[in-house]
């Protein structure tokens, strides 16, 4: 539809085609277009076509892009409180993450976004981050000792791996494959989908389901765009967002299992941590929680932990 | 006046030397820290990258001053001096318009980003500093382009201006080859003695 | 239609001799205003985000390292090694010149830098022992293009970052094709010298002299070992390797050979950042141009149009080769790579070409463009050094052009040359 007064809604992400976050974004666009009778004209640009996470967020701020899903890590560059979600082993399982993020705490965090000229609708997911390396099978905490590990340039991530005994090294993602191939670093940690999509399995032998950080991926819209919509249109969009969120999470969890299976077929050794070892990993990062408690975000952290505990019981 | 004259001559050179030095030192330090000390800096790559961005946009201005931007000059070959200058002026006016566009929109975006307070992940530096590289460099570029156009206008009016200063004769000087050459001829002669 | 506006205004601006980067930016701006696909702020944002890239930082480092090495007095020493090896043979001096270019190419990422560094010494030297000046100059111009085929290579870095291929793999893939092109030039130089009676020094090969010359040149010969050894030995990334090359070249030039002084450094840095900035303006502006191409689905259309021409991969590759040769005649190598990679890579991928192999093809193709008038950067530099006119040089370069074309065809149809070191 090419009507003059159509509202154009460009949706973007940095996720490859075929991953659940991309499929869901298309679906969301289709629903919005259909329900608004084409009043809102949606275009979807996946796979960093119009930029990576930071560019896309900035794009929403200046309203060149109207909507996107971005992991909470990069969002904390804009809205620092999102940093709390990158605390290691914060959510023991997806259910507790959903409980917290879909409840008042999640809402509270999203309320930081309008100051950034962005509206947060709800939380989709990129899934748990997981550890791969080419040196040895990681079954115990001791196995992590001395691994040269590529991490994000983030205090929290670097501290996490220091606590676990690895040597964290920020290396540019674009140079990561070669760096692992040549042994500049021994391993990396990302959601398992990256290991599949970026062929890391060609240069990595072992993957351990550490599930150390749960990456939520909020669906956000440009605030100027949101404000230009009618109440009715806003309602349509919010409803579509919730419907697609549930579908996306389901799809992503299936995709995660498929990914591990694929990696096994490709010859990687996939390892699960025993419950005792999981416990030891959690204990090892305890100092991070202790110092985080002193930070401005300490109360928020305690609220989340309390909520998680109540879910578990 | 002295200061302005000195700045006019050397501002880009000065900034380029500082920025390049930081880039080299920081990147070398990053390897040293990882390889020799076994512990990494979380801010090194970021700082090097941001210096790099500033270097590019200051360098673009310097490229105008030195007339060294990369272009296709097929049409140039068809004209004599005056025609070349006129063609060059047209190109410079288009460049100028684009540079002004970047200054206006670039400032606007940088100011907004400054207001929203986005910080860089490693250094915690306001990202607006990075975004100011484009409007800052392009502002310098605007000045250089206007200086160039004034010279070219004077040349057309018949006042004496060195021809090399108004016609881009990039071909023999690309990649600083001419300078390299002068240095090298001397050393070649020395070698022959 | 948007595509028409985009390419039409881009072509017109190029004709008006607007700098390529600015032409890309203005054309994107016009197309955005025309189509309304994306707001114009997009271009401004792209100018920052597209150069906010660590892999691309290898470009200024390799340029800087090349400048320092050129001034640091390593050329003489490299030539002495080559000359003790082959100097006594027919055409020995010419062959030694090509080998020196290959050594230097293995340190420098740029073609013109190689010409400038080697030509200043070798052209007078060759002429002084009786070689035809035109032949000597053309030889250097051609051999200088090895600078971008042998790793490290700035165009290969650009291809890797534009097309999403591993720069390290591209570097590995460039080794054999680079040696092969160099070998082709040496074979031609030999036959030419035999015909024209250019005999060697007459000094028989002496192993001790060779070892002594190599020892003299040891600090220089270490550079490629450090760059490639460092990358493939897992010590540093290609970008870090480039920074190491800078530091190493500085130490060698300043303290070991003592031919470059601290007071020379600011000028070297300014020159290197100037070259970098003029190249990266194109990168910055090409991002929005590239995104517009993607949104308008130009790569898909080009792929379809090409495949409609013929189903035969050989014919399509020949068409692409001709296109690249023509573009290389008029356009700067890096600009051509940044603009054409997103358009051509989908076509050749469809034909089952390996992207690494195609990167080498593209670079060899465009390296030939270094020596073809009207825009042949190596020709300009060589002409500046020798004082020969572009016209007479253009005639002298023809046999070298033919030799390089033949080697290009071999590299095109024998992918193993490029891919043998990759699994
Ligand atoms: Na090279
Ligand atoms: Na050419």
């Amino acid at each position: 539809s090419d009507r003059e007064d159509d509202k154009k809604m460009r949706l973007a992400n940095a996720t490859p085609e075929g991953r659940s976050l991309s499929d869901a974004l298309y679906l969301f666009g289709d629903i919005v277009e259909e329900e608004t009778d084409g009043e809102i004209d949606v275009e979807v640009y996946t796979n960093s076509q119009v930029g990576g996470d930071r560019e896309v967020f900035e794009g929403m701020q200046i309203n060149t892009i109207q909507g996107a899903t971005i992991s909470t890590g990069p969002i904390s560059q804009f809205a620092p409180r999102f940093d709390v979600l990158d605390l290691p082993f914060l959510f023991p399982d997806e259910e507790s993450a959903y409980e917290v993020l879909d409840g008042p705490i999640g809402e509270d965090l999203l309320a930081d976004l309008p100051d950034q000229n962005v509206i947060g609708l709800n939380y989709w997911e990129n899934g748990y981050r997981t550890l791969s390396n080419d040196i040895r099978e990681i079954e115990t905490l001791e196995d992590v000792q001395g691994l040269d590990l590529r991490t994000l340039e983030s205090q929290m991530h670097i501290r996490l791996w220091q606590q676990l005994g690895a040597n964290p090294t920020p290396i540019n993602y674009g140079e990561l494959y070669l760096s692992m191939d040549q042994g500049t670093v021994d391993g990396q940690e990302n959601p398992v989908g990256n290991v599949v999509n970026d062929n890391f399995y060609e240069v990595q032998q072992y993957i351990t389901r550490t599930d150390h950080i749960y990456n939520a991926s909020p669906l956000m819209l440009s605030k100027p765009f949101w404000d230009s919509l009618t109440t009715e249109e806003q309602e349509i969009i919010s409803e579509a967002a919730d419907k697609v969120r549930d579908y996306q999470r389901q799809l992503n969890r299936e995709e995660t299992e498929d990914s591990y299976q694929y990696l096994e077929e490709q010859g990687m050794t996939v390892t699960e941590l025993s419950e005792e070892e999981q416990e030891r990993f959690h204990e090892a990062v305890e100092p991070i929680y202790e110092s985080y408690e002193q930070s401005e975000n300490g109360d928020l952290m305690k609220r989340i932990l309390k909520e998680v505990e109540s879910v578990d019981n | 006046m002295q200061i302005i004259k000195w700045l006019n001559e050397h501002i880009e050179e000065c900034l380029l030397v500082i920025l390049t030095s930081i880039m080299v030192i920081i990147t070398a330090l990053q390897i040293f820290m990882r390889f020799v000390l076994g512990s990494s800096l979380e801010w090194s790559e970021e700082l090097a990258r941001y210096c790099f961005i500033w270097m590019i946009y200051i360098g673009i201005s310097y490229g105008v001053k030195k007339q060294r931007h990369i272009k296709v000059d097929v049409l140039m070959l068809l004209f004599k001096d005056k025609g070349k200058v006129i063609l060059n002026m047209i190109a410079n006016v288009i460049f100028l318009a684009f540079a002004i566009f970047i200054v206006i929109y670039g400032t606007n975006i940088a100011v907004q980003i400054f207001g929203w307070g986005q910080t860089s992940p490693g250094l915690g530096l306001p990202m607006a500093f990075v975004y100011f590289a484009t409007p800052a460099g392009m502002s310098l570029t605007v000045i250089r382009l206007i200086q160039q156009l004034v010279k070219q206008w004077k040349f057309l009016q018949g006042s004496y201006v060195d021809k090399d200063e108004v016609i881009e004769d990039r071909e023999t000087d690309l990649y600083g080859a001419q300078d390299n050459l002068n240095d090298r001829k001397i050393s070649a002669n020395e070698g022959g003695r | 239609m948007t595509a028409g506006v985009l390419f039409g205004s881009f072509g017109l601006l190029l004709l008006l001799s607007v700098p390529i980067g600015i032409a890309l930016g203005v054309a994107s701006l016009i197309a955005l205003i025309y189509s309304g696909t994306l707001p114009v702020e997009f271009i401004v944002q792209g100018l920052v985000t597209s150069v906010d890239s660590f892999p691309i930082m290898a470009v200024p480092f390799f340029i800087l390292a090349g400048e320092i090495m050129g001034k640091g007095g390593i050329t003489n020493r490299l030539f002495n090694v080559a000359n003790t090896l082959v100097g006594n043979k027919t055409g020995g001096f010419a062959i030694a010149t090509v080998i020196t270019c290959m050594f230097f190419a293995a340190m420098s990422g740029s073609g013109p830098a190689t010409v400038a560094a080697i030509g200043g010494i070798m052209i007078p030297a060759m002429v002084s022992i009786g070689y035809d000046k035109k032949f000597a100059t053309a030889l250097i111009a051609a051999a200088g293009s090895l600078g971008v085929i042998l790793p490290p290579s700035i165009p290969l870095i650009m291809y890797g970052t534009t097309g999403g291929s591993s720069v390290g793999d591209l570097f590995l893939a460039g080794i054999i094709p680079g040696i092969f092109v160099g070998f082709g030039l040496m074979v031609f130089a030999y036959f030419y010298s035999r015909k024209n009676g250019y005999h060697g020094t007459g000094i028989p090969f002496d192993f001790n002299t060779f070892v002594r010359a190599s020892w003299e040149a040891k600090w220089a010969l270490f550079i490629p070992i450090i760059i490639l050894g460092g990358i493939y030995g897992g010590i540093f990334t290609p970008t870090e390797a480039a920074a190491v090359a800078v530091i190493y070249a500085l130490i060698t030039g300043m303290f070991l050979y003592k031919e470059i002084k601290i007071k020379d450094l600011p000028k070297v840095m300014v020159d290197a950042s100037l070259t970098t900035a003029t190249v990266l303006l194109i990168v910055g502006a090409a991002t929005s141009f590239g995104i517009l191409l993607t949104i308008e689905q130009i790569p898909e259309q080009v792929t379809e149009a090409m495949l409609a021409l013929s189903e035969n991969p050989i014919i399509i590759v020949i068409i692409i080769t001709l296109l690249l040769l023509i573009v290389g005649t008029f356009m700067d190598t890096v600009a051509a790579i940044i603009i054409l990679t997103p358009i051509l890579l989908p076509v050749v991928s469809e034909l089952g070409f390996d992207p690494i192999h195609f990167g080498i093809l593209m670079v060899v193709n465009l390296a030939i463009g270094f020596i073809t008038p009207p825009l042949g950067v190596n020709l300009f530099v060589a002409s500046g050094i020798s004082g020969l006119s572009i016209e007479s040089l253009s005639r002298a370069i023809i046999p070298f052009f033919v030799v390089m074309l033949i080697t290009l065809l071999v590299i095109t149809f024998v992918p193993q040359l490029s891919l043998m070191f990759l699994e």
Side-chain angles (χ1 to χ4, degrees), chain C residues 10 34 45 48 89 95 109 124 150 167 186 190 195 214 233 241 249 264 270 282 298 301 307 319 330 361 371 382:
Chain C
F10 179 54
Y34 170 82
Q45 193 194 14
V48 172
K89 309 277 188 320
I95 294 171
L150 285 166
V167 173
M186 285 192 264
Y190 171 78
K195 190 174 150 220
S214 304
D264 302 328
V270 167
I282 300 171
I298 311 281
Q301 289 167 20
L307 297 181
I319 295 172
F330 292 104
L361 288 189
I371 60 165

Side-chain angles (χ1 to χ4, degrees), chain C residues 69-394:
Chain C
M69 287 186 271
K71 292 198 164 94
I74 57 175
T75 319
N76 280 329
R77 292 168 176 86
L78 290 179
F79 176 71
N80 285 338
V81 177
N83 199 31
T84 53
L85 261 179
V86 292
N88 61 335
K89 309 277 188 320
T90 299
F93 232 59
I95 294 171
T97 301
V98 178
I99 296 177
T100 311
C101 282
M102 289 167 73
F103 279 144
F104 197 85
M107 311 172 192
S108 160
S110 141
T114 309
V115 177
I118 309 290
I121 291 178
M122 293 316 298
I123 295 172
M126 283 177 76
V127 171
S128 73
I129 62 160
Y131 280 83
D132 176 32
K133 192 174 183 182
K134 274 187 266 179
F135 168 76
T137 313
L139 176 72
I140 301 256
S145 58
L146 294 168
V148 296
I149 307 173
L150 285 166
S153 154
I154 290 165
L156 282 179
I157 295 170
M158 286 304 173
Y159 176 83
T161 49
T162 313
S165 307
S166 151
V167 173
D169 284 355
L170 286 164
F171 279 6
L172 271 186
I175 294 175
I176 298 296
I179 292 173
F180 183 64
V181 175
F183 185 72
L185 293 174
M186 285 192 264
V187 169
F188 171 72
Y190 171 78
F191 284 109
Y192 182 91
S193 302
R194 201 170 73 171
K195 190 174 150 220
N196 289 280
Y198 301 144
H199 299 298
T201 50
I203 307 163
F205 174 78
D206 173 47
F207 187 73
N208 288 336
T209 322
F210 171 69
V211 170
R212 208 173 310 129
S214 304
W215 183 250
E216 280 277 302
K218 60 182 178 301
W219 302 115
L221 291 170
F222 251 126
I223 298 175
I225 296 175
I226 287 181
I227 295 176
L228 297 179
I231 299 173
Y232 299 106
I235 300 172
F236 31 71
T237 68
T239 309
E240 291 170 344
V244 170
V246 173
I247 304 271
Y248 185 88
L250 263 181
I251 293 172
T252 310
M254 276 172 66
F255 302 114
L256 302 172
Y257 294 162
K258 299 193 172 74
E259 296 202 11
I260 189 166
K261 309 208 164 39
I262 289 213
K263 69 169 171 34
D264 302 328
L265 289 185
K267 183 163 186 328
V268 172
M269 286 196 230
V270 167
D271 283 348
S273 31
L274 179 53
T275 310
T276 307
T278 54
V279 168
L280 285 169
L281 170 61
I282 300 171
V283 177
T287 305
S288 352
F289 192 85
I291 287 172
L292 265 171
L293 291 183
T294 313
I295 290 175
E296 295 298 322
Q297 303 194 314
I298 311 281
E300 288 89 338
Q301 289 167 20
V302 171
T303 308
E304 263 173 42
M306 286 254 187
L307 297 181
L309 279 179
S310 166
E311 293 272 309
N312 187 338
I314 294 180
I315 291 179
I316 299 205
V317 166
I318 288 173
I319 295 172
I320 290 179
T321 302
L322 287 175
L323 173 75
L324 287 172
L325 284 173
I326 293 167
V327 170
T329 305
F330 292 104
M331 202 184 254
D332 175 76
T333 314
V334 172
I337 284 178
I338 295 165
I339 297 165
L340 290 179
T341 301
I343 300 178
L344 294 180
L345 193 53
V347 181
V348 295
S349 304
E350 192 77 19
L351 295 174
F353 256 81
D354 186 290
I356 302 284
H357 179 212
F358 184 64
I360 302 299
L361 288 189
M362 209 152 166
V363 168
V364 175
N365 243 307
L366 296 168
I368 296 177
F370 278 150
I371 60 165
T372 54
L375 187 74
V377 182
N378 283 10
L379 280 190
F380 300 148
V381 177
S383 136
I385 288 170
S386 61
L388 288 175
S389 72
I390 297 282
E391 288 73 29
S392 67
L393 199 47
S394 300

Side-chain angles (χ1 to χ4, degrees), chain A residues 8 10 43 45 49-51 54-56 58-59 62-65 171-172 174-175 177-179 181-185, chain C residues 36-39 41-42 45 48-49 52 54-55 166 168-169 231-240 291 294-295:
Chain A
K8 196 161 243 176
R10 303 174 194 90
E43 280 163 19
Y45 303 108
Q49 276 182 69
V50 291
R54 206 188 83 213
E55 290 99 310
V56 167
E58 287 168 359
I62 55 180
N63 200 15
T64 56
I65 291 167
I171 281 201
N172 186 277
E175 294 189 315
Y177 181 95
L178 180 74
S179 300
D181 194 17
Q182 307 305 338
T184 317
V185 287
Chain C
T37 336
L38 290 166
E41 280 87 352
F42 203 76
Q45 193 194 14
V48 172
T49 52
D52 187 2
F54 192 64
S166 151
D169 284 355
I231 299 173
Y232 299 106
I235 300 172
F236 31 71
T237 68
T239 309
E240 291 170 344
I291 287 172
T294 313
I295 290 175

Side-chain angles (χ1 to χ4, degrees), chain A residues 58 77-78 115-116 155 158, chain B residues 42 116 118-119 127 131:
Chain A
E58 287 168 359
Q77 245 181 284
F78 300 85
D115 278 350
Q116 293 295 319
Q155 282 289 356
I158 289 173
Chain B
E42 72 259 27
W116 290 315
Q118 181 196 168
T119 54
M127 283 305 292
Y131 271 87

